[in-house]
Amino acid sequence: MKAFVICAALATSAVAPAFAQELVARQGDDSVRLSDSACKSELVLGRLAPGVAKQYRSASALFQGQRFVACWRLVGNAAHLVYEDGDQGIIPATELKPDLTA
């Protein structure tokens, strides 16, 4: 089970419905990237209720050297992530920064 769950509130201004670049949360060598492109992972989409699946955007995580595919959506003031293996997480606004390396 991935322990990379960063818990806190996500300010609405930090993740607007559309943004030009990826947002990244880093914790040591681990990271999560949020993209504005639509979620295309059939494994994640299959775990979601059909009515909300269209709201999820693409995400990826690097945890202990392993890459994971995920999808996310804004829920209230939090970004909710769902990974292909069913794990879930929340990302705080204080950890999200524009990706300056892209």
Side-chain angles (χ1 to χ4, degrees):
M1 177 183 249
K2 288 172 289 309
F4 193 88
V5 177
I6 308 171
C7 297
L10 176 64
T12 308
S13 61
V15 179
F19 47 88
Q21 58 193 6
E22 291 183 343
L23 296 176
V24 180
R26 287 187 170 80
Q27 191 173 52
D29 291 334
D30 299 334
S31 64
V32 174
R33 293 181 175 275
L34 304 182
S35 169
D36 192 40
S37 62
C39 175
K40 294 182 178 123
S41 169
E42 292 300 323
L43 289 172
V44 174
L45 293 171
R47 296 177 183 282
L48 303 172
V52 298
K54 292 180 184 178
Q55 298 172 16
Y56 279 81
R57 317 311 294 160
S58 293
S60 63
L62 181 63
F63 179 68
Q64 296 181 347
Q66 284 190 293
R67 286 215 176 271
F68 296 92
V69 173
C71 297
W72 73 278
R73 77 173 175 144
L74 194 61
V75 178
N77 288 330
H80 174 244
L81 284 102
V82 178
Y83 294 89
E84 287 186 326
D85 64 1
D87 279 355
Q88 298 184 33
I90 302 291
I91 299 184
T94 57
E95 296 295 323
L96 286 169
K97 308 287 184 229
D99 184 13
L100 302 176
T101 62

